[in-house]
Amino acid sequence: MRALLLSLALTATTLAAAPGDDPGGPRGESFGDGRTRGVILRNSKIVISGNGLGGKADGYRVQRPCWYEPGDDAGDMLKRQEDVRDYWFHTNPDGTSEDFDKFLKQYKDKVGQDGRWWTPAYNAADPNGLACWSGLQGAVWVPTGQTPPAGITLAELYQLARAALTVPEPVINLSPDAKSYVNLPTWVWLTGVGATTRSVTAELPGVMSATVTATLSRIDIDAGTTGNRAEVRENCGPTGHPYVKGGTWTCGVRYLRSSADRPEDAYQLTVTTTWPVTGGGGFTFDPVVVDAARQVPVGEVQTTVREGTSG
């Protein structure tokens, strides 16, 4: 029985790479660096798409890194197995024609039944993904309307979409730019954000689909010092307000002390973008939060006092 299951697992994996056939996963990839895990699909039919790919993720991790997905019906699976006869004998060099017939019997027995074979897939971005996948059978038969243990669920599809969701890493703009001065308002705004609504869809074609959407709601400003050294205004909207001559300053920092006593003679200003995430079906997720930082040197305004002369 163990050899039979091993052959089944090997065959199911090989079928995805058969000449002229659909190579299977990855169908969609989203990953980054640092603490980001993201999504790298293997042996999967799930398609990941949307404008929320390719930015900065936040390390969200799918709870279970492997699963079964619905695949071929009984007739199609039998044909696939019959087509890999040569490979079966390659992986079973001591096998006989009778052994191969026994191997095929489990597929022939399902022909005419109402159901589908489910096959394993996994998230290769998770370090436990391959080990998890190796613990699953090569394929399991599932009657129509049922889901096998470890079968992909809608909740898990939402998790995959959430793990693939990224947002842009913003660039901080200041006015004045190179250097500010004590009591001078420093305007703050962001560029590089692009669309303030970003979504990702994870779809198992013909079966189910899950979409998550992140919308940039606000920015928070950390002046890099205490309140007695800086006044912060955060009426910024989602991306801050570019400097406008004669305009009202509502988003930024007014430094009240010089930065001469700070490391590198500058304050470390940090802007945090918060992207609340929504999904359908009542599924909720934590927001994506991304920081950007830059140094702000602040000098004293120098004045020159000239003594008058009398005569």
Side-chain angles (χ1 to χ4, degrees), residues 234-260:
E234 293 182 309
N235 182 9
C236 298
T239 59
H241 302 303
Y243 172 74
V244 176
K245 185 176 181 180
T248 301
W249 173 65
T250 63
C251 179
V253 182
R254 188 201 312 266
Y255 287 101
L256 309 177
R257 300 283 190 278
S258 164
S259 62

Side-chain angles (χ1 to χ4, degrees), residues 114-139:
D114 189 13
R116 189 168 290 277
W117 288 97
W118 289 52
T119 54
Y122 67 102
N123 177 17
D126 192 300
N128 298 324
L130 181 58
C132 178
W133 175 83
S134 299
L136 299 179
Q137 297 183 45

Side-chain angles (χ1 to χ4, degrees), residues 137-154:
Q137 297 183 45
V140 292
W141 175 258
V142 182
T144 298
Q146 297 183 26
T147 299
I152 187 78
T153 65
L154 182 59

